[in-house]
Amino acid sequence: MSDLTNEEQDKLNEFQVITAFPEEQHDKVVKMLRNNYWNLEVALSKYFDGHLEQEAAREPLIEQPQAPPVRQRPQQPQNLQDFLDMRMNHNGHHNMMLPQLPIVRPISNLWRTQVGLNRQIDHFGFQTMAQSPILFILLFIPRTLTFILSGFVYLFNYFFPPSPDMIPSTPSRDHFNPIEHYESLTQDKTTFEFYKGDFNDAFDQCKRESKFMLLILLGDNDLSNTFVKRILNNEAVSNLIKEEEIIVYMTHCAHPQGLEISRTMRTRAVPAAYLLGNVASGPSGISSMSVCARLSIKTLNAFVSKLNGEIERYKPELISKRVEMEELKFAREIREMQDRAYEESLIADRIKQEEKELEEKKQKEQNEN
């Protein structure tokens, strides 16, 4: 035991505590531990499997150490060409192994000529802006240009006032009656009816009843007066309006409501006439109040032709909507009539039942007397 190291002695003591081997097996146990390189787990497994004699009799497997490889000295270059070849081979081998790094180049000197604030350092150590006369002039250029442009616009409007055909920027009328305006220009009674309510009411009625709406926007100009006298007062236009039951809404662009309508319709000049209807406004087939057409007001023939053409184009769709509405209305009326008849029958049955009970009560009282 004198040739055992402290670590080996600890392993042997631990093995004895676990196995409690007898004293005569001491040498065999030491030899088995040496053959298994003092691995307690392997030695314990073989001991309890009964391989003590076999392990103690065999010799340990000792690997022969291999001689270290002889390091060859690099070949020394004999001349400049050999040195360059060796350098190229060495760099090429390392370039394949190392990652490529980003290349850094010197910056340009253009930053020295960039426009910016020229700052100086005063004798107190603070930065101050250089007092350049150019900067002082630039401060007044925007205000000067604004003043010049405003004066130019004022003079232009003074010598060339805006056309009366244009939509005003602010309303100037508190009241506008389309019937009075029509009769004052034509000196005649109208043969069709103008809508007397608000535009939104006419809009809802047109949408609800699937009818066309003729929207007319007038102004205080000769074109508006001519449109009323020669086109709107024409018999062909009046007959077409009455025949198709078109809702006619006429207003003035200087009236607050008329100005709002003009802005909504994006009208720039008056007079203007639009044909509105609850028709499909896109490929989706969903109906909504849409501008069927903006009618031409240059001549009577152009106005009548455009109005008649657009009516014939969208009339089948409106007729089908009205038919559907009539069918729904008729079905609703039939349902209401059935409900009313059912309620009346219930009332009649209840009255009959009450009369029967009253008769039975009287009969019972007579029998008792």
Side-chain angles (χ1 to χ4, degrees):
M1 295 179 59
S2 59
D3 57 345
L4 298 178
T5 62
N6 294 332
E7 184 178 357
E8 293 174 349
Q9 185 63 43
D10 294 338
K11 293 288 184 69
L12 179 61
N13 295 335
E14 187 176 354
F15 188 88
Q16 185 178 10
V17 171
I18 297 173
T19 60
F21 62 87
E23 186 65 25
E24 58 270 13
Q25 294 181 354
H26 178 271
D27 296 337
K28 295 180 180 180
V29 170
V30 172
K31 195 170 184 180
M32 183 182 66
L33 288 173
R34 284 178 176 174
N35 291 340
N36 291 280
Y37 305 100
W38 297 94
N39 191 329
L40 287 179
E41 294 181 359
V42 177
L44 288 172
S45 176
K46 292 182 179 181
Y47 180 83
F48 287 113
D49 290 341
H51 298 158
L52 176 62
E53 299 294 337
Q54 182 180 356
E55 288 294 323
R58 73 178 181 85
E59 295 294 333
L61 298 176
I62 301 176
E63 297 181 356
Q64 295 294 333
Q66 298 181 358
V70 179
R71 183 177 181 182
Q72 298 181 357
R73 297 180 61 185
Q75 184 179 1
Q76 298 294 330
Q78 301 297 329
N79 49 34
L80 179 61
Q81 185 63 33
D82 294 342
F83 175 78
L84 294 177
D85 294 339
M86 293 176 61
R87 185 70 175 177
M88 184 178 297
N89 295 333
H90 177 75
N91 292 339
H93 176 71
H94 281 274
N95 288 339
M96 294 176 62
M97 302 298 294
L98 296 177
Q100 186 71 25
L101 299 178
I103 299 175
V104 180
R105 293 185 175 88
I107 65 173
S108 174
N109 290 325
L110 295 177
W111 62 273
R112 299 180 182 274
T113 60
Q114 295 294 330
V115 178
L117 295 178
N118 183 15
R119 297 183 178 274
Q120 298 178 351
I121 306 298
D122 57 8
H123 61 280
F124 292 105
F126 297 100
Q127 288 186 348
T128 59
M129 188 171 62
Q131 301 297 330
S132 174
I134 298 178
L135 296 178
F136 183 77
I137 295 173
L138 290 176
L139 292 175
F140 289 92
I141 286 180
R143 182 174 297 180
T144 304
L145 291 177
T146 303
F147 179 77
I148 294 174
L149 291 177
S150 300
F152 178 77
V153 172
Y154 176 79
L155 293 176
F156 183 83
N157 292 333
Y158 180 79
F159 291 103
F160 304 97
S163 173
D165 301 340
M166 304 302 294
I167 300 297
S169 57
T170 57
S172 58
R173 279 176 172 260
D174 296 333
H175 175 73
F176 178 78
N177 190 323
I179 299 177
E180 294 178 357
H181 185 75
Y182 177 88
E183 293 178 352
S184 64
L185 292 175
T186 60
Q187 301 298 325
D188 192 7
K189 297 291 184 180
T190 176
T191 57
F192 57 88
E193 294 184 0
F194 289 98
Y195 195 86
K196 300 179 182 179
D198 293 335
F199 174 77
N200 289 339
D201 297 335
F203 183 91
D204 294 337
Q205 181 179 349
C206 176
K207 182 178 181 180
R208 183 176 60 255
E209 299 179 0
S210 297
K211 292 183 178 181
F212 287 108
M213 177 195 291
L214 180 59
L215 175 61
I216 302 173
L217 300 175
L218 302 178
D220 294 327
N221 54 353
D222 295 336
L223 290 177
S224 298
N225 298 335
T226 303
F227 172 78
V228 175
K229 294 178 182 179
R230 298 183 180 180
I231 297 179
L232 198 59
N233 191 34
N234 186 266
E235 184 178 358
V237 176
S238 301
N239 294 335
L240 185 60
I241 291 174
K242 291 187 293 184
E243 181 181 352
E244 300 297 337
E245 298 181 353
I246 300 176
I247 299 175
V248 181
Y249 188 89
M250 187 169 67
T251 184
H252 199 284
C253 64
H255 187 264
Q257 184 173 214
L259 181 59
E260 184 64 25
I261 295 173
S262 302
R263 292 172 178 173
T264 303
M265 302 299 296
R266 298 180 180 179
T267 305
R268 296 184 178 181
V270 288
Y274 301 91
L275 183 66
L276 310 182
N278 186 18
V279 296
S281 58
S284 61
I286 300 176
S287 299
S288 60
M289 285 297 295
S290 308
V291 179
C292 299
R294 178 167 182 171
L295 305 177
S296 176
I297 58 174
K298 294 181 179 180
T299 61
L300 175 62
N301 293 333
F303 181 84
V304 174
S305 177
K306 184 67 174 178
L307 178 61
N308 193 22
E310 296 299 328
I311 289 176
E312 294 298 328
R313 179 181 179 183
Y314 294 102
K315 184 178 179 179
E317 183 176 351
L318 294 183
I319 291 177
S320 63
K321 290 181 181 297
R322 285 198 290 265
V323 171
E324 292 177 0
M325 292 174 59
E326 291 294 334
E327 291 178 353
L328 293 175
K329 182 180 179 181
F330 182 70
R332 184 170 58 253
E333 291 178 353
I334 292 178
R335 192 180 304 109
E336 291 177 355
M337 292 175 60
Q338 292 175 350
D339 295 341
R340 194 180 307 112
Y342 178 72
E343 292 177 357
E344 291 177 356
S345 64
L346 290 178
I347 294 174
D349 293 341
R350 186 170 63 252
I351 293 174
K352 187 182 295 184
Q353 183 67 23
E354 292 177 355
E355 292 177 352
K356 183 178 179 180
E357 292 177 355
L358 182 60
E359 185 67 23
E360 291 178 354
K361 184 178 181 181
K362 291 181 179 180
Q363 187 69 26
K364 185 177 180 181
E365 291 177 354
Q366 291 178 0
N367 294 334
E368 290 178 355
N369 295 331

